[in-house]
Amino acid sequence: MKFYFFLIAMPVIGGFIGWITNLLAIKLIFWPVEPINFFGIKFQGIIPKRRFEIAKNIGIALESEILSFEEFAALLTSSSLKYEILDKIKNILNDRIIDKLPLFIPKKMVSNFFNEAIDYYGLPVIEDLKRDIMNKAREEIKIGKLVEEKINSFDIIKLEELIIKLSKRELRQIEILGGLIGFFIGLLQALVSVFLKM
């Protein structure tokens, strides 16, 4: 009877210790928010302690590995968008200028003239504007810096809630994995102990 109790108790205790250890490790990523002294050792959660460094690294990674300024700008200056801009210019001309011309000026002829001019010169003008805006924006807009500042502006509790919300399932799996590993280590210890007593 003692043998079976030992064989069951060790894995259960090991599983509980493994689960509690991983649960505590996950909590210590965020907690404590403010540094505390623990027997003379200053202690703080990893994210609160290194949030500015983490935010900077996320910004750098985002800009260099995920979405560079050039890729972002290309999305904003796609061919379809250029034609939409040209159509918008034509509509503005027709609605706000040509319709207000005096009656003796042939509106249809003026409208056709402007539309043909926009069709002919529009894309090169947009390309020139795009190049000028891109050069100016490249100097002034830093995507990585914007992301870094946005992350740093988050309240640390809100940041914790966001991270947990985004990775709740994975964090739960880590807890369960800790319990399973602890269970099997406890089982192995029980079997080794029983084997050595034989």
Side-chain angles (χ1 to χ4, degrees):
M1 184 68 180
K2 188 178 178 184
F3 166 77
Y4 291 113
F5 176 76
F6 188 71
L7 208 57
I8 292 168
M10 288 285 284
V12 169
I13 292 168
F16 178 73
I17 291 170
W19 173 72
I20 259 321
T21 303
N22 280 13
L23 182 66
L24 185 61
I26 290 166
K27 289 288 179 198
L28 292 177
I29 293 172
F30 307 100
W31 183 87
V33 173
E34 297 298 327
I36 58 169
N37 278 323
F38 190 70
F39 295 109
I41 299 168
K42 227 176 195 181
F43 189 71
Q44 188 178 14
I46 294 168
I47 289 181
K49 184 176 184 180
R50 300 182 59 198
R51 73 179 287 185
F52 298 109
E53 184 184 341
I54 291 167
K56 184 176 183 179
N57 288 333
I58 289 172
I60 290 167
L62 180 70
E63 193 167 2
S64 61
E65 305 291 331
I66 299 169
L67 183 65
S68 68
F69 177 81
E70 284 71 21
E71 290 169 320
F72 179 69
L75 292 171
L76 295 177
T77 56
S78 64
S79 294
S80 61
L81 186 62
K82 291 175 197 172
Y83 287 108
E84 283 179 37
I85 291 169
L86 292 178
D87 286 340
K88 190 78 173 169
I89 292 169
K90 288 178 190 178
N91 291 335
I92 290 169
L93 274 172
N94 284 314
D95 294 344
R96 298 187 187 171
I97 298 171
I98 294 171
D99 285 346
K100 292 179 175 57
L101 290 174
L103 290 173
F104 63 87
I105 296 176
K107 293 180 183 181
K108 184 70 176 166
M109 190 170 76
V110 173
S111 176
N112 289 341
F113 172 78
F114 277 125
N115 286 341
E116 286 174 14
I118 290 167
D119 287 339
Y120 187 77
Y121 296 108
L123 283 178
V125 168
I126 286 178
E127 284 299 321
D128 289 345
L129 280 171
K130 180 184 109 175
R131 189 170 49 253
D132 294 344
I133 291 168
M134 291 274 287
N135 289 336
K136 186 76 174 163
R138 190 178 285 110
E139 293 169 13
E140 295 183 9
I141 298 172
K142 302 293 180 195
I143 295 172
K145 194 72 178 164
L146 290 172
V147 170
E148 178 186 347
E149 288 169 4
K150 186 68 177 172
I151 292 171
N152 285 334
S153 71
F154 278 164
D155 174 65
I156 197 70
I157 304 299
K158 293 281 184 196
L159 185 61
E160 177 187 354
E161 287 171 4
L162 177 66
I163 292 169
I164 289 173
K165 184 179 176 183
L166 292 173
S167 55
K168 192 172 188 174
R169 187 172 55 190
E170 288 78 10
L171 294 174
R172 187 78 182 131
Q173 287 172 350
I174 291 170
E175 290 174 30
I176 292 167
L177 185 62
L180 288 172
I181 290 170
F183 179 85
F184 286 113
I185 289 172
L187 182 62
L188 185 64
Q189 286 176 324
L191 291 171
V192 168
S193 295
V194 169
F195 178 76
L196 290 175
K197 285 181 182 177
M198 291 175 107

